[in-house]
Amino acid sequence: MAIVIRDAELKRDRQVMMDCLLRNRQRYEKNDAFEQRFDWAYSGNPYGEGRAWLAVDEAANKVIGFTSAFPRRMFVNGECMIGWNCADFSIDKEYRTLGAAMKLRRAAKECVDRGEFAFLYAHPNDRMRVVHEKVGHHAIGKMVRYAALLRLDQTLGAKLGNNPVAKVSAALANPLLRLMAPSRSGLDKFQFSLVQEQRFGEEYDRLFEKVKHQHSVIGSRDTEYLNWRFLRNPLYRAKSLRMQQDGELKGYVLYYEGNGIARVADAIVEGKSDETGILLAGLIHHLRKDGISSISLRLHNMNPLLAQAQQLGFRYRDDATSTVIAYASPTSPFAPVVLEGKNWFMTVGDRDI
């Protein structure tokens, strides 16, 4: 059977693409949020519409898979350019041969080679990682998950049931957890607040203008992006821990809550290891006071946040590890920087959406 690749037209092929996602991606359900997510991701992106390629079985005249890429403003050694954040790779089970998958992957790669975009990055599962490597993409690290336990109410309730014994046990154990908490040294130099932002303001732009020079490769965190990615997102609305000094924003953590867990979506801070440690210690302190049971942190394994998180008691969890890949044309002057994992600042907020 001959499989051909053609460019998708988002308006015409919207339903075909959504149907393919529903057939092949267990994370999605057919509901209003699913449709809203599609339109938000493909048409609402402040850096331009998403691009997609369809795999078509010519004999059956049907779409059997597709892949997409979303434009992302990136900074490489301080220079602004547009990269591609690859996403939504889906292919029907009976067509999951190496050939069909590689044809789809080559479509995006060839656009980078032609200079349409500076480079691409993606977060494939282990099976798809092989496909990426065969078409010439490079592994630049892994996304890993770490977690910190703040309170035992939820854990003991799950084990003992919602009864007085569990509540008394938690009341006795929680102070011990607080005694084991990281030192609050340095927290008094900054002012912290938990905020449900209605709109990210200019202070976030000013902070990113400083932070972008601390990292060789970093995706934009300007207000245009933050408001779209974290406030207009139909799947979740992020909250913010703000770290300020003398009225100026010095760092933040964006997170969303569910079942007593705060899942960190993004975090940046002006400064180096000391300021990073203070930001994360502030997060632990204020979320514990807010009644959160645990914090889940997913990020690139070479992210400088990770070393500080481990010192503060975050522990590795093996349930959410995936490869990070990147590709830049061999002729690009930025290829040596982009293809070196240690140069990247990446959180789960940089992943596909």
Side-chain angles (χ1 to χ4, degrees):
M1 51 189 171
I3 305 298
V4 297
I5 307 300
R6 68 171 175 84
D7 282 11
E9 295 181 17
L10 293 181
K11 289 184 179 180
R12 181 192 66 193
D13 296 316
R14 176 179 181 271
Q15 191 61 52
V16 169
M17 293 164 66
M18 288 195 296
D19 289 344
C20 189
L21 282 174
L22 289 170
R23 290 196 303 270
N24 295 289
R25 303 289 288 268
Q26 293 182 352
R27 63 182 283 196
Y28 294 124
E29 297 180 7
K30 188 175 183 178
N31 53 31
D32 289 344
F34 169 70
E35 293 197 12
Q36 291 166 8
R37 177 263 173 195
F38 188 94
D39 295 333
W40 166 81
Y42 283 87
S43 302
N45 188 326
Y47 306 133
E49 283 194 335
R51 182 86 173 267
W53 298 266
L54 307 181
V56 181
D57 181 340
E58 281 193 310
N61 191 30
K62 68 175 182 178
V63 172
I64 56 89
F66 80 99
T67 190
S68 303
F70 301 118
R72 179 80 193 276
R73 183 180 293 157
M74 304 292 298
F75 290 86
V76 180
N77 287 341
E79 185 168 338
C80 182
M81 60 193 68
I82 298 295
W84 266 350
N85 179 10
C86 298
D88 281 357
F89 186 94
S90 301
I91 193 165
D92 290 345
K93 188 174 182 179
E94 60 269 32
Y95 293 89
R96 290 177 188 171
T97 62
L98 196 59
M102 288 181 66
K103 285 183 178 180
L104 279 172
R105 282 297 172 213
R106 284 197 185 103
K109 175 180 179 289
E110 289 168 357
C111 290
V112 174
D113 287 336
R114 290 194 296 268
E116 295 182 28
F117 283 80
F119 59 89
L120 60 79
Y121 69 92
H123 301 81
N125 59 30
D126 287 342
R127 179 171 52 83
M128 282 306 304
R129 177 183 58 81
V130 176
V131 176
H132 280 276
E133 291 176 344
K134 282 187 175 293
V135 300
H137 298 168
H138 301 264
I140 59 168
K142 291 183 176 295
M143 295 297 288
V144 293
R145 188 173 84 87
Y146 281 70
L149 184 63
L150 306 187
R151 302 176 62 91
L152 286 166
D153 306 67
Q154 186 172 343
T155 301
L156 292 175
K159 290 184 177 181
L160 303 177
N162 187 18
N163 56 53
V165 174
K167 293 178 181 178
V168 170
S169 299
L172 293 172
N174 284 334
L176 296 177
L177 273 181
R178 285 196 293 272
L179 288 175
M180 297 167 60
S183 168
R184 294 177 59 186
S185 174
L187 293 186
D188 56 353
K189 298 178 183 178
F190 299 90
Q191 298 79 51
F192 292 87
S193 56
L194 297 177
V195 180
Q196 176 62 77
E197 301 282 11
Q198 299 304 308
R199 182 183 179 279
F200 292 105
E202 293 179 356
E203 66 273 27
Y204 286 86
D205 281 331
R206 291 194 297 270
L207 174 62
F208 182 68
E209 280 299 307
K210 300 171 185 175
V211 171
K212 72 182 183 184
H213 298 292
Q214 298 175 187
H215 307 286
S216 298
V217 184
I218 185 171
S220 178
R221 269 100 169 143
D222 59 10
T223 54
E224 191 176 29
Y225 179 77
L226 294 178
N227 285 310
W228 169 73
R229 180 68 172 84
F230 298 110
L231 295 186
R232 294 199 291 273
N233 188 328
L235 302 182
Y236 64 83
R237 185 179 176 89
K239 295 183 177 181
S240 178
L241 172 84
R242 298 167 59 113
M243 184 173 92
Q244 294 177 277
Q245 188 177 55
D246 299 326
E248 190 68 19
L249 187 67
K250 295 294 183 179
Y252 65 76
V253 179
L254 304 181
Y255 65 96
Y256 57 100
E257 297 177 20
N259 299 319
I261 302 171
R263 294 174 173 84
V264 174
D266 197 32
I268 63 171
V269 63
E270 180 187 353
K272 296 187 178 180
S273 59
D274 288 349
E275 290 79 9
T276 300
I278 291 171
L279 176 67
L280 293 177
L283 180 71
I284 291 170
H285 175 69
H286 287 278
L287 289 185
R288 177 182 281 116
K289 286 176 60 178
D290 205 41
I292 295 295
S293 296
S294 64
I295 303 172
S296 177
L297 178 65
R298 295 176 69 183
L299 71 177
H300 188 237
N301 66 317
M302 300 181 201
N303 191 309
L305 290 167
L306 184 55
Q308 293 299 314
Q310 290 173 295
Q311 290 184 25
L312 293 170
F314 282 80
R315 296 292 178 259
Y316 175 69
R317 299 291 184 263
D318 63 0
D319 57 356
T321 300
S322 62
T323 300
V324 184
I325 66 93
Y327 177 75
S329 170
T331 62
S332 168
F334 301 104
V337 181
V338 169
L339 301 182
E340 180 59 65
K342 67 182 181 181
N343 292 330
W344 283 72
F345 181 89
M346 180 180 288
T347 67
V348 73
D350 293 299
R351 286 194 64 156
D352 59 339
I353 43 183

